[in-house]
Amino acid sequence: MKSAILQHLRVIRFTFQRLLHTPGASLLNLIVIGIALSLPVGGYVMLKNIQGISEQMAGTPQISVFLALDTSQDEISRFRKQLKEHAAIDHIEFAPRDLALKQLQLSTGLADVIGGLTQNPLPDAFIIYPVAMDVQKLELLRDDLKSWPKFEHVQLDSSWAYKLEALLKFARLAVLILAAMLSFALIAITFNTIRLQILTQREEIEVSKLIGATNGFIRRPFLYFGLAQGLLGGAAAWLIIAISLQLLNYSLANLTHLYATSFTLSHLSLSDSISLLGFSAYLGWLGAWLSVSQHLWQIEPR
Amino acid sequence: MIKFNQVYKRYPGGHEALKNLSFEIAEGEMVYLTGHSGAGKSTLLKLIAAIERPTSGSAIVKGQNIKSLKGSALPYLRRNLGLIFQDHKLLFDRSAFENVMLPLQICGFDHRESAKRVRAALDKVGLLKREKSNPIALSGGEQQRLCIARAIVNRPSVLLADEPTGNLDTEYSGEIMNIFKSFHQVGVTLLISTHDESILRQFPARALALKAGELVI
Ligand SMILES: Nc1ncnc2c1ncn2[C@@H]1O[C@H](COP(=O)(O)OP(=O)(O)OP(=O)(O)O)[C@@H](O)[C@H]1O
Ligand SMILES: [Mg+2]
């Protein structure tokens, strides 16, 4: 048992020696793998960030209803009652036009302009908090409200967030397709690297077979090599994204400063990072395994 | 230990390298394999190590039938055989020491224990001082002896040597034969192919003579 572990450790050490044996080629491979992986993973990171920002800004959905200016107080209290009884509505707020004007006066510093008005141009408004959250039901409710008399203008707030969500769904699919294609590329890169290694070590493999090496023994260093290359390629992708985010955050800081908000783009979470490394290591291993199964049996000593 | 019964070997292309071979080698025996170039000596040794398979007949080595031996059992058969190749098959990308180390690595030996064994084997063939040399820097005779060291380091019960004294002068041949004799004395089964008559006279033992693929004695 102990000697089996020691033997594995020796193979692992040997694998890294092999990686370091041709530092230029190894580094180039890692950069290629890193860039290939950083495209879909970077896309994923951006999507996550955009989603986070949109959720933060959208808050809970609400529908604003602006009433016609000639709506009477009687009508308003009737609407209030009807809205409260509506099954799709959780609760409502009423914003009387006088109050809205006062707020406008206070908050915008347009007091002089507004003071000069002969009549209040603002309508009475209901702010409606629906029960449901999903976009279809919200749109249904909005269309229903639009058909009510005196409901002059009905607006589903944060509808942009829902449009964005639909767009993000599409982008997510694009990232997924990209990820699938580049995973395939990673497998192909490893396949080819291992193929070349097998060719250059043909004699060693032949002699090892002659003096009693099992297929497992011969296969192992190649599989470890593929695994290590995938793992390090994944780490390279992680680094590439980290550096890119750093640069983006730097220029984003200047931008958001102007709008008095602050966002920073965040990197992969710990569990996502571990998934990235695990997945890229697995792909490397898979590429090596395919290559070894394809090429090793062709080398039979004579 | 080794038992052949009506063994034929035809290479792809149709050349019949061995015809109707039947013989037996007992445990601990030392046997020569003689014959002219192309007689089939190497082919016979390759059959024993399952590098080639018989076309027909039965070849039993250490109780295993070579013809039907599974690929997964093959490495374990070979670990019991020490193979000395006509063309040495040394690896030139590593030192003499590492060449001899290879069979022990394959068997998963403890590193420190193997290092001791490698030095003992190199000492036995007189190459201890050259352990760090690349085999390419060794003379033909030294390469031959390095190949022997690699074959014996695993302490196999059977040694198969394909022309181990080919291209060597008589002094070196004698040295190598003395090494083999010392293995014979500790009970190792030996099959040595040669076309060197003087060795047979100097170190007499039973000989299997091949002529165009057939056994003549
Ligand atoms: N892989 C092969 N394919 C086809 N024919 C072969 C192959 N190997 C050997 N032969 C033929 O089989 C015959 C026996 O060859 P083998 O190598 O066994 O002879 P040998 O006795 O070892 O000769 P030498 O003393 O020159 O080494 C030869 O005629 C050779 O051409
Ligand atoms: Mg030969």
Side-chain angles (χ1 to χ4, degrees):
Chain A
M1 187 62 202
K2 193 174 148 230
S3 95
I5 292 170
L6 281 177
Q7 209 181 346
H8 275 270
L9 287 177
R10 206 175 310 138
V11 176
I12 290 168
R13 200 189 61 203
F14 186 66
T15 303
F16 280 96
Q17 280 170 354
R18 212 183 264 184
L19 269 170
L20 292 176
H21 188 65
T22 54
S26 299
L27 196 66
L28 213 62
N29 257 347
L30 293 184
I31 290 173
V32 168
I33 293 174
I35 291 173
L37 282 173
S38 69
L39 294 176
V41 177
Y44 174 81
V45 168
M46 288 318 269
L47 285 179
K48 270 255 153 142
N49 276 300
I50 291 170
Q51 197 174 12
I53 292 167
S54 83
E55 267 164 18
Q56 185 189 330
M57 285 174 55
T60 48
Q62 31 179 273
I63 296 173
S64 308
V65 174
F66 300 99
L67 299 174
L69 289 174
D70 62 351
T71 315
S72 69
Q73 286 304 317
D74 281 354
E75 284 172 313
I76 288 173
S77 36
R78 210 179 63 231
F79 288 143
R80 195 195 287 243
K81 202 162 156 270
Q82 282 172 340
L83 286 172
K84 272 185 180 160
E85 283 162 5
H86 198 290
I89 294 171
D90 185 59
H91 64 282
I92 59 169
E93 274 168 24
F94 179 64
R97 49 194 298 205
D98 301 336
L99 197 69
L101 187 66
K102 266 196 203 118
Q103 270 179 355
L104 194 66
Q105 249 170 334
L106 290 176
S107 65
T108 57
L110 295 174
D112 293 343
V113 181
I114 292 166
L117 292 171
T118 51
Q119 65 176 125
N120 185 351
L122 297 177
D124 288 312
F126 285 112
I127 297 154
I128 293 169
Y129 297 90
V131 179
M133 293 288 189
D134 64 290
V135 67
Q136 262 121 15
K137 286 196 182 132
L138 290 172
E139 279 172 352
L140 219 65
L141 177 61
R142 180 196 59 195
D143 294 343
D144 174 24
L145 293 173
K146 266 185 180 168
S147 68
W148 290 28
K150 305 277 180 169
F151 278 24
E152 206 167 66
H153 192 72
V154 180
Q155 189 185 327
L156 177 56
D157 294 331
S158 70
S159 65
W160 63 269
Y162 292 98
K163 286 189 187 132
L164 183 66
E165 176 57 32
L167 207 64
L168 285 179
K169 223 179 229 169
F170 174 75
R172 234 171 267 143
L173 183 67
V175 165
L176 209 66
I177 291 169
L178 194 66
M181 285 186 336
L182 291 169
S183 301
F184 187 74
L186 195 157
I187 293 175
I189 291 169
T190 322
F191 185 90
N192 200 42
T193 314
I194 299 294
R195 187 181 68 87
L196 291 175
Q197 278 190 6
I198 290 175
L199 284 182
T200 55
Q201 286 168 37
R202 202 190 167 90
E203 266 182 76
E204 178 180 352
I205 293 169
E206 237 181 79
V207 170
S208 300
K209 280 191 173 183
L210 279 175
I211 57 185
T214 58
N215 281 333
F217 178 88
I218 292 171
R219 206 179 280 146
R220 207 173 294 142
F222 295 111
L223 294 182
Y224 280 169
F225 187 94
L227 189 86
Q229 198 180 48
L231 185 71
L232 294 177
W238 195 94
L239 269 180
I240 289 171
I241 295 168
I243 293 166
S244 311
L245 287 180
Q246 206 62 46
L247 293 173
L248 284 174
N249 274 335
Y250 181 73
S251 51
L252 205 60
N254 292 335
L255 193 70
T256 52
H257 181 71
L258 295 176
Y259 289 94
T261 52
S262 74
F263 305 133
T264 53
L265 298 169
S266 48
H267 203 338
L268 288 177
S269 65
L270 183 66
S271 66
D272 278 350
S273 302
I274 292 170
S275 304
L276 167 65
L277 294 180
F279 188 61
S280 59
Y282 169 74
L283 290 179
W285 180 88
L286 184 65
W289 186 84
L290 289 172
S291 191
V292 165
S293 335
Q294 176 81 67
H295 299 111
L296 220 48
W297 66 271
Q298 293 172 354
I299 302 179
E300 270 305 323
R302 282 280 158 261
Chain B
M1 177 65 51
I2 298 170
K3 188 172 179 185
F4 272 48
N5 195 14
Q6 298 182 342
V7 170
Y8 285 79
K9 174 64 190 177
R10 185 179 298 115
Y11 278 112
H15 183 81
E16 204 151 61
L18 295 176
K19 293 167 208 151
N20 197 19
L21 283 194
S22 299
F23 65 88
E24 199 169 336
I25 296 172
E27 188 163 355
E29 212 181 345
M30 172 164 150
V31 175
Y32 287 115
L33 189 59
T34 63
H36 290 297
S37 180
K41 304 182 295 294
S42 297
T43 304
L44 176 51
L45 293 174
K46 282 176 185 170
L47 286 184
I48 295 173
I51 297 167
E52 295 286 355
R53 307 274 182 144
T55 312
S56 69
S58 86
I60 313 286
V61 179
K62 296 191 77 115
Q64 311 238 45
N65 191 335
I66 297 301
K67 203 168 172 204
S68 56
L69 189 69
K70 280 213 195 83
S72 56
L74 199 109
Y76 302 98
L77 173 73
R78 288 189 185 153
R79 286 178 195 185
N80 283 313
L81 308 176
L83 301 180
I84 296 154
F85 305 96
Q86 196 167 2
D87 55 355
H88 309 333
K89 295 203 191 296
L90 296 168
L91 296 172
F92 295 119
D93 63 349
R94 61 196 72 192
S95 67
F97 182 90
E98 285 165 326
N99 265 279
V100 180
M101 186 68 130
L102 193 60
L104 300 177
Q105 276 175 340
I106 283 169
C107 296
F109 267 89
D110 171 68
H111 191 77
R112 211 173 298 161
E113 167 72 13
S114 352
K116 262 190 240 160
R117 279 205 191 189
V118 170
R119 296 223 163 78
L122 285 170
D123 195 26
K124 187 132 195 135
V125 298
L127 283 178
L128 192 52
K129 287 209 182 83
R130 309 298 304 272
E131 62 168 310
K132 291 201 176 65
S133 309
N134 188 297
I136 211 145
L138 300 178
S139 73
E142 285 168 336
Q143 288 187 9
Q144 190 75 273
R145 284 185 278 156
L146 186 58
C147 187
I148 294 172
R150 188 181 62 190
I152 63 175
V153 72
N154 208 8
R155 297 178 191 159
S157 54
V158 180
L159 262 182
L160 305 175
D162 199 355
E163 311 222 14
T165 60
N167 319 319
L168 294 186
D169 55 39
T170 38
E171 192 189 329
Y172 271 132
S173 305
E175 248 176 63
I176 286 177
M177 286 311 296
N178 276 321
I179 295 171
F180 285 146
K181 230 177 87 185
S182 68
F183 280 108
H184 178 50
Q185 276 157 6
V186 296
V188 175
T189 310
L190 281 151
L191 183 56
I192 303 164
S193 96
T194 183
H195 52 227
D196 189 346
E197 298 289 331
S198 65
I199 289 178
L200 275 115
R201 264 180 271 114
Q202 226 180 315
F203 302 88
R206 175 158 81 104
L208 297 170
L210 282 174
K211 193 169 182 184
E214 283 180 289
L215 217 49
V216 289
I217 326 176

